[in-house]
Amino acid sequence: MNPTRHVAGAARRGSLIIVGTGITLVRQITVEALEYIQRAEKLFYLVPNPAVAEWLRELNPSAESLENSYSDGRPRHDTYAEIADRILKSVRGGLQVCAAFYGHPGVLVQPSREALTTARREGFAARMLPGVSAEDCLFADISVSSTGRGWQSFEATDFLAARRRFDPGSALILWQVGLLGEASVREGMSCRPERLRVLTQVLRRHYPGRHPVILYEAAQFPICDPTIERTILERLPHKQVLPAMTLYVPPRPSRPTSRVVARWLAE
Ligand SMILES: C[S@@+](CC[C@H](N)C(=O)[O-])C[C@H]1O[C@@H](n2cnc3c(N)ncnc32)[C@H](O)[C@@H]1O
């Protein structure tokens, strides 16, 4: 279970393995992630659920929360840089370090990526393992179109800022709508209504007002149900969108238009 085995040419003693804890408490962690968490000489974690934090501390007494790198109004970029730095300090100190993030550690987790890249650049063995993301839970909880029309997944602020092009004929998933246009996080925040209106206006160029949309929050505890709040696009600005929610927009009806492929299928 030594991550040095996985990185050819790694010369230095410290190492880094980045794992995900999944969304639902305990049950969604992979066997390999669990093993690394237990064996690490130093464990860092960033998870929103205090019960998961408690569980991680039981699994590995070296566990240290990264939560205190956040503070109200602090620019997110500063927080991410500090988190990456804290992890790297232990790697540079020669320890076998494991950093656990909720969900999939590579899905919208900037500090994990930063720590991984820097550790590798500095010659340490460093690897990320996959985890169960909120999107994986969404696919399980909502009957996402299974007709092969695909889906597109964007971070909501980037979606608006970069005017991302997308195809409304396949499903659309927007992450972090609750943090739309926010450079820092605050306790108890939700998407500002005027910003939710802007997002809705952009989506209205592609979908009718009565198009269904779903605000989704996967259950964090095995005994709980997910939150699946169904509404229509024109009512979206009246909803409270929390940071832990993901917006799902089902596809608009569309027909394949390629004659070539139609001929293939008819053969
Ligand atoms: C910083 S990203 C972290 C994603 C995480 N690494 C993952 O793999 O799911 C935070 C965003 O993930 C989504 N998210 C986090 N927890 C969720 C949950 N319980 N249900 C649905 N979406 C969730 C939301 O879109 C939220 O704004």
Side-chain angles (χ1 to χ4, degrees):
M1 299 307 293
N2 182 348
T4 38
R5 276 187 323 169
H6 304 287
V7 181
R12 306 180 70 178
R13 151 100 178 92
S15 69
L16 175 62
I17 189 97
I18 297 181
V19 303
T21 60
I23 303 289
T24 306
L25 174 69
V26 177
R27 294 190 175 181
Q28 289 180 343
I29 195 149
T30 63
V31 174
E32 58 177 355
L34 188 59
E35 284 178 2
Y36 278 111
I37 284 172
Q38 286 171 315
R39 287 166 188 227
E41 290 172 334
K42 177 71 188 170
L43 174 68
F44 290 99
Y45 63 89
L46 190 60
V47 294
N49 184 332
V52 177
E54 175 76 41
W55 175 62
L56 292 172
R57 286 194 296 268
E58 274 168 28
L59 288 175
N60 187 325
S62 77
E64 179 179 328
S65 172
L66 295 162
E67 188 70 40
N68 53 4
S69 286
Y70 283 87
S71 57
D72 265 19
R74 181 176 191 194
R76 276 200 272 170
H77 286 290
D78 290 1
T79 303
Y80 298 159
E82 184 179 292
I83 288 175
D85 250 27
R86 285 173 68 179
I87 295 170
L88 287 164
K89 215 171 179 177
S90 290
V91 177
R92 290 175 189 132
L95 298 178
Q96 308 277 301
V97 177
C98 177
F101 295 85
Y102 77 98
H104 186 306
V107 175
L108 289 168
V109 189
Q110 202 174 309
S112 68
R113 191 63 61 192
E114 271 180 41
L116 190 73
T117 313
T118 309
R120 282 181 179 160
R121 202 177 46 232
E122 293 181 8
F124 296 103
R127 197 177 161 220
M128 179 181 284
L129 302 179
V132 175
S133 73
E135 188 177 85
D136 296 315
C137 299
L138 184 149
F139 285 131
D141 287 331
I142 298 177
S143 22
V144 171
S145 167
S146 57
T147 53
R149 286 204 237 157
W151 73 97
Q152 305 137 101
S153 198
F154 298 99
E155 199 280 330
T157 302
D158 172 76
F159 177 75
L160 288 186
R163 299 196 171 104
R164 296 282 169 213
R165 285 195 288 174
F166 71 103
D167 176 0
S170 78
L172 176 67
I173 293 172
L174 292 179
W175 301 71
Q176 298 202 130
V177 177
L179 302 176
L180 192 60
E182 304 286 356
S184 60
V185 288
R186 297 177 311 278
E187 190 73 30
M189 69 196 299
S190 60
C191 186
R192 300 182 202 205
E194 68 279 12
R195 295 187 183 175
L196 199 49
R197 271 199 300 279
V198 172
L199 175 64
T200 305
Q201 279 162 10
V202 169
L203 294 175
R204 280 286 281 113
R205 292 183 203 139
H206 306 274
Y207 305 94
R210 300 197 64 74
H211 192 76
V213 296
I214 295 175
L215 288 168
Y216 171 72
E217 187 172 343
Q220 289 192 28
F221 293 96
I223 46 160
C224 298
D225 289 325
T227 303
I228 301 173
E229 196 179 344
R230 293 171 199 274
T231 185
I232 53 174
L233 186 54
E234 64 193 12
R235 298 217 186 106
L236 183 61
H238 308 293
K239 297 291 171 189
Q240 191 187 26
V241 185
L242 301 171
M245 289 176 161
T246 297
L247 180 68
Y248 174 68
V249 186
R252 261 176 47 181
S254 67
R255 262 186 277 148
T257 52
S258 164
R259 289 203 189 127
V260 176
V261 178
R263 274 200 302 276
W264 290 347
L265 294 170
E267 276 172 15

